[in-house]
Amino acid sequence: VTSKDVAARAGVSQSAVSLVLSGKGAGRVAPAKAAAIRTAAQELGYRPNVAARTLRTGATDTVGLVVPDVRNPFFGALLRGAQHAARAAGRAVLLVDAQHDAADATAPADVLRASGAVDGLLWFGRLPPDHVREDRIPLVLVEAELEGVTSVRFGVEDGFRAIGEHLRDLGHRRVGALRAKVPQEPTFEVRAAGLEAGLGFAPQLEAVAPVITLEAGLVAARELLDRPDRPTAIVADDDNLAAAVVLVARELGIAVPGELSVAGCDDLDVVRVLDVTTVRLEAEELGRVALEALTALLDGEDPPARQVLPAVPVLRGSTGPAPGPR
Amino acid sequence: VTSKDVAARAGVSQSAVSLVLSGKGAGRVAPAKAAAIRTAAQELGYRPNVAARTLRTGATDTVGLVVPDVRNPFFGALLRGAQHAARAAGRAVLLVDAQHDAADATAPADVLRASGAVDGLLWFGRLPPDHVREDRIPLVLVEAELEGVTSVRFGVEDGFRAIGEHLRDLGHRRVGALRAKVPQEPTFEVRAAGLEAGLGFAPQLEAVAPVITLEAGLVAARELLDRPDRPTAIVADDDNLAAAVVLVARELGIAVPGELSVAGCDDLDVVRVLDVTTVRLEAEELGRVALEALTALLDGEDPPARQVLPAVPVLRGSTGPAPGPR
DNA sequence: TTGTAGGCGTTATCAC
DNA sequence: GTGATAACGCCTACAA
C-alpha cells in the first residue's frame, strides 16, 4: 500500500497525500481534503516506505552504535540509555558488536559504511579507524577522545585517583594493577594514570586481561596472586576483572580485605553482590548524553565538543588497612 | 559517487556496472570491461546506495531484534550470538529495547513497522502484539511459542524439574518461588510448571518481581524471607533475582545453604561468583540458532518449526539439606 | 488551493 | 555481449 493508493481512495493527488502526512500541508491543503486523506491512510494501514523516503531525502533516521562487547553488562545499560534517547528523537538504532576480542574486529565497521545506511555514528571505546572519519559522517566518540571529534566520556581519572588515595591512606605500598589491555581503548590509559597519581607511585605488579570477562580475569588474577611477593591491594580496570580477583583470592585462601584489598570500576551487579569497592559509572546516562550529542550534530546544532561525566568512588568492604609485614 | 560515475570513468554503460558489481556479470560482460569497472569502482571508492537498492529490490538485508531489557546480561550474550550469525549471513541488526519495565512498552514495535525497515524480526520473550503478526513479516519467536510461528526456546521445564527434584531429595518441604511477573512472557509459566513437577508439590510461598533486576529482587526476596514461616528453599526465575535472595539472606543473618537453599536460572556471572545453584542457559547459542532460523525463513527455506535448546542444572554450594525443624 | 512532473540510485528487462 | 529504459515510492518545485 503506497501513497498512490491513499490518493486514489481519498480522491486527491499523490502529492497532497505526501504533504498532509508529512505535516507540511497546513494552510496548503483544504482541511476537508486533509481529513479525507488521513482517514484513507488509516483505513488502508498506509506506512511510508522507508527506502523511498531515504532515497529522496538522504536521511535514514537511523544511527549506528558500535560497541566493543555487548556481553559486558556495562554496555547493556549504555544501550538502554542510547536507545531511549534515540527513540525520543525519532530515530532507530543499528547495533554493531565490534567483538574486540575476535579476529575480525575491524570488519564490523564496514557494515555501516554502506553509504546511506545510517545518518550518524556513536563509536564506543576504541578509536575508530581512519576511514570512518574520512567518511565524514557525523560522529560522536564515547569513552575516547580525538582531536576535532565530539566526545563524551567519564572522568575516570578522578575516580581512579580517589581509589589510589584511599589505598595509600590505608597503608598499601605494594599494589597490583589488573589491566584490560584492549588495544586502542584510551580510557584504560587514563585509568592507569589516575591510579598512579592517587597512589603517589606506580603499581609494582601488573597483569593484563586480553578480554574483559570473568574468565580472562581469573587467569590474570592468578598471575598477580599466586606468588610469594603478591601485592596487598589490587585495582582492576573493570568490575568483571575485580570480581575475578575476589574469586581467586577465595580459591587461594587469601582473606579480603584482611590480606588483600580489591577495587574495580563500573559498579556492576557482580561487584555489588561481592561488596567490592569500585568507581561508579552511570552507563545509562552516558548512552543518553552521547546520543543527544549525536542528535544535536545531526540537527545541525553545536553540541559541546567534549563532555566529561562524573566517576565517583564507592567504598565498600573489599578495601581495608594494609596487612602488617608477614 | 554513484554507479553512473563509475560507468563514466570506466567508459561503459551504467547497467554494465550494476551487473558486474553485483556479481551477475559472469558470461555477460567481457572480462576486460569487467576488470575496468572494478578498478574504476575501487578508485572512486564507490559503494552502492542502500536506499536505492532497497527501493528497487525490496530487501533491506537488515533484521530487527526486539528484546525485553538490554540491561540484563542474559540479553547481552544473546545479542552477541545473534549479531555474529547476522554478520555471517551478511545482514545488519536493528536493535529495539522493548523496555518491558517502562510505560511505553508497546511503542517500540512501531519502530520496526515502518514498511521495509527490516526484512524479518526476531522477537524475544513476550508474545508479539497481533499487528506484528498481521504484518506477515517473517518472524522468529524466542523463548516463547505461538501456533504457526517459528520458534526457538530453552527446555526450561527440564531444568526447573531437575532443580525441584534436587530440592525435594534434599528434604525441602516448604519452598518459595521468586517469580518474574513479566506479562505475557510464557517462559515463566513453563518454569513454574517444571518446578512444581520436580518438587511434587506447588511452592507454598510466592513473591513477584515486576522487573528482572537486582533491585526488584531485593524487595521481593524480603517478602519471602522477612517472616516467621519463611521457606527453607527459594527458587528464582532468574539469576538476578536469585542473587538478590542471597543478599537479603545475608542481611537478615540467614545462613546459605544451612538455613536456606537458593537456586536461580541463566548461569550469569552474578550467581557464579556467589556460588549459587542455577540452570544454565546458553544465551549466545540461543541468539545464534534463532537468527539462523530467521535467515532460513528469509532465504525461503524451511527451518524447524520449534527448536528446544537444553537447559541443564548446575548444582553449586547454595543448595543443601533442609534444616531440621526450628 | 491543487495537480503535474522530475528525479533520488538501483536493478532488471529488453531490444539491439 | 551490450546499453538504453522503465520502474521502485517518495518528496518538492513549479505550473495551473
Side-chain angles (χ1 to χ4, degrees):
Chain A
V1 41
T2 75
S3 60
K4 236 181 204 166
D5 301 328
V6 177
R9 185 178 180 101
V12 299
S13 78
Q14 185 270 337
S15 61
V17 173
S18 179
L19 236 34
V20 169
L21 296 184
S22 63
K24 289 170 188 162
R28 305 191 50 190
V29 177
K33 282 208 172 180
I37 289 170
R38 265 185 264 270
T39 53
Q42 189 87 51
E43 288 166 5
L44 265 44
Y46 167 74
R47 330 204 121 249
N49 179 304
V50 172
R53 164 180 288 160
T54 297
L55 180 57
R56 178 63 227 238
T57 63
T60 61
D61 286 345
T62 298
V63 298
L65 213 144
V66 182
V67 305
D69 186 348
V70 281
R71 295 172 306 180
N72 190 331
F74 176 81
F75 289 108
L78 195 146
L79 283 183
R80 165 65 63 105
Q83 175 81 216
H84 196 75
R87 196 180 305 161
R91 289 178 221 269
V93 169
L94 201 62
L95 176 70
V96 178
D97 181 17
Q99 295 195 200
H100 281 182
D101 51 314
D104 60 343
T106 53
D110 296 334
V111 173
L112 299 169
R113 292 203 62 205
S115 71
V118 296
D119 294 339
L121 229 44
L122 226 53
W123 193 282
F124 288 95
R126 182 177 287 203
L127 292 178
D130 285 341
H131 66 249
V132 169
R133 296 193 57 204
E134 286 160 7
D135 284 351
R136 303 217 160 278
I137 187 170
L139 177 67
V140 172
L141 227 50
V142 186
E143 281 292 80
E145 289 185 341
L146 205 57
E147 191 57 36
V149 181
T150 305
S151 64
V152 187
R153 68 176 185 92
F154 288 114
V156 280
E157 59 275 28
D158 299 336
F160 273 74
R161 187 184 315 110
I163 296 290
E165 288 167 358
H166 173 57
L167 292 173
R168 189 201 57 201
D169 294 348
L170 286 168
H172 293 274
R173 295 293 175 267
R174 185 166 181 77
V175 174
L178 208 175
R179 307 199 57 197
K181 201 63 166 199
V182 186
Q184 303 186 40
E185 293 213 17
T187 183
F188 297 118
E189 305 307 323
V190 175
R191 297 177 193 201
L195 177 63
E196 185 169 340
L199 285 170
F201 58 90
Q204 290 85 356
L205 291 168
E206 186 176 289
V208 166
V211 197
I212 306 182
T213 61
L214 194 59
E215 274 73 25
L218 292 173
V219 176
R222 271 190 206 104
E223 256 179 68
L224 245 29
L225 288 176
D226 200 4
R227 54 194 298 162
D229 61 340
R230 66 163 197 254
T232 67
I234 293 181
V235 180
D237 270 346
D238 179 276
D239 278 346
N240 294 291
L241 305 178
V245 173
V246 173
L247 293 196
V248 170
R250 194 186 287 164
E251 172 190 319
L252 296 176
I254 302 169
V256 173
E259 298 176 274
L260 177 73
S261 287
V262 179
C265 182
D266 283 2
D267 197 23
L268 301 183
D269 282 348
V270 76
V271 302
R272 217 179 131 190
V273 303
L274 288 175
D275 197 32
V276 169
T277 291
T278 191
V279 175
R280 175 171 298 154
L281 306 184
E282 301 282 359
E284 199 167 327
E285 177 73 1
L286 179 68
R288 210 205 74 217
V289 171
L291 204 120
E292 284 175 356
L294 182 54
T295 300
L297 232 41
L298 293 175
D299 293 348
E301 295 161 24
D302 205 32
R306 298 186 172 199
Q307 294 183 74
V308 179
L309 272 43
V312 304
V314 179
L315 305 182
R316 296 210 178 97
S318 69
T319 43
R326 273 166 291 182
Chain B
V1 42
T2 73
S3 59
K4 234 178 206 166
D5 301 327
V6 177
R9 184 177 182 103
V12 300
S13 77
Q14 185 273 337
S15 58
V17 174
S18 178
L19 235 36
V20 169
L21 295 183
S22 63
K24 290 171 187 161
R28 306 190 51 190
V29 177
K33 282 208 173 181
I37 289 171
R38 264 186 266 270
T39 52
Q42 189 87 51
E43 288 166 4
L44 264 44
Y46 167 73
R47 329 203 122 251
N49 179 301
V50 172
R53 164 181 284 160
T54 298
L55 180 59
R56 176 63 223 213
T57 63
T60 61
D61 285 345
T62 298
V63 299
L65 212 143
V66 182
V67 306
D69 186 347
V70 280
R71 296 172 306 181
N72 191 332
F74 176 81
F75 289 107
L78 194 147
L79 284 183
R80 165 63 65 104
Q83 175 81 216
H84 196 75
R87 195 178 306 160
R91 289 178 221 266
V93 169
L94 201 62
L95 175 69
V96 178
D97 180 18
Q99 296 195 197
H100 280 181
D101 52 314
D104 62 343
T106 54
D110 296 334
V111 174
L112 299 168
R113 292 203 63 204
S115 69
V118 297
D119 293 341
L121 228 45
L122 227 52
W123 193 281
F124 288 93
R126 183 177 285 202
L127 292 177
D130 286 342
H131 67 249
V132 169
R133 296 194 56 205
E134 286 160 7
D135 284 350
R136 303 217 159 278
I137 188 172
L139 177 67
V140 171
L141 225 50
V142 186
E143 281 294 80
E145 289 186 340
L146 204 59
E147 191 57 34
V149 180
T150 305
S151 64
V152 187
R153 67 176 185 92
F154 289 115
V156 279
E157 59 274 28
D158 299 335
F160 274 74
R161 188 185 312 109
I163 295 291
E165 288 167 359
H166 173 58
L167 292 174
R168 187 200 57 201
D169 293 349
L170 286 168
H172 292 275
R173 294 295 175 266
R174 184 166 182 77
V175 174
L178 208 176
R179 308 198 57 197
K181 201 63 166 200
V182 186
Q184 304 187 43
E185 294 213 19
T187 183
F188 297 117
E189 306 304 324
V190 174
R191 296 176 193 203
L195 177 63
E196 185 169 340
L199 284 171
F201 58 90
Q204 291 86 354
L205 291 169
E206 187 176 289
V208 166
V211 197
I212 305 182
T213 62
L214 194 60
E215 274 73 24
L218 291 173
V219 175
R222 272 189 205 106
E223 256 178 67
L224 245 29
L225 288 176
D226 200 4
R227 55 193 298 164
D229 61 339
R230 66 164 198 252
T232 66
I234 293 181
V235 180
D237 270 346
D238 179 275
D239 279 345
N240 294 292
L241 305 179
V245 173
V246 173
L247 293 197
V248 171
R250 194 186 288 165
E251 172 190 318
L252 296 176
I254 301 169
V256 174
E259 299 175 275
L260 177 73
S261 287
V262 179
C265 181
D266 282 0
D267 198 23
L268 302 182
D269 282 348
V270 76
V271 303
R272 215 177 132 188
V273 302
L274 289 174
D275 197 33
V276 169
T277 292
T278 191
V279 176
R280 175 171 297 154
L281 307 183
E282 301 282 358
E284 198 166 330
E285 177 75 0
L286 178 68
R288 210 206 74 219
V289 171
L291 203 119
E292 284 175 355
L294 182 56
T295 300
L297 231 43
L298 293 174
D299 292 348
E301 295 161 22
D302 205 31
R306 299 185 172 198
Q307 294 184 73
V308 178
L309 269 44
V312 304
V314 180
L315 305 182
R316 297 210 177 98
S318 69
T319 42
R326 273 164 291 180

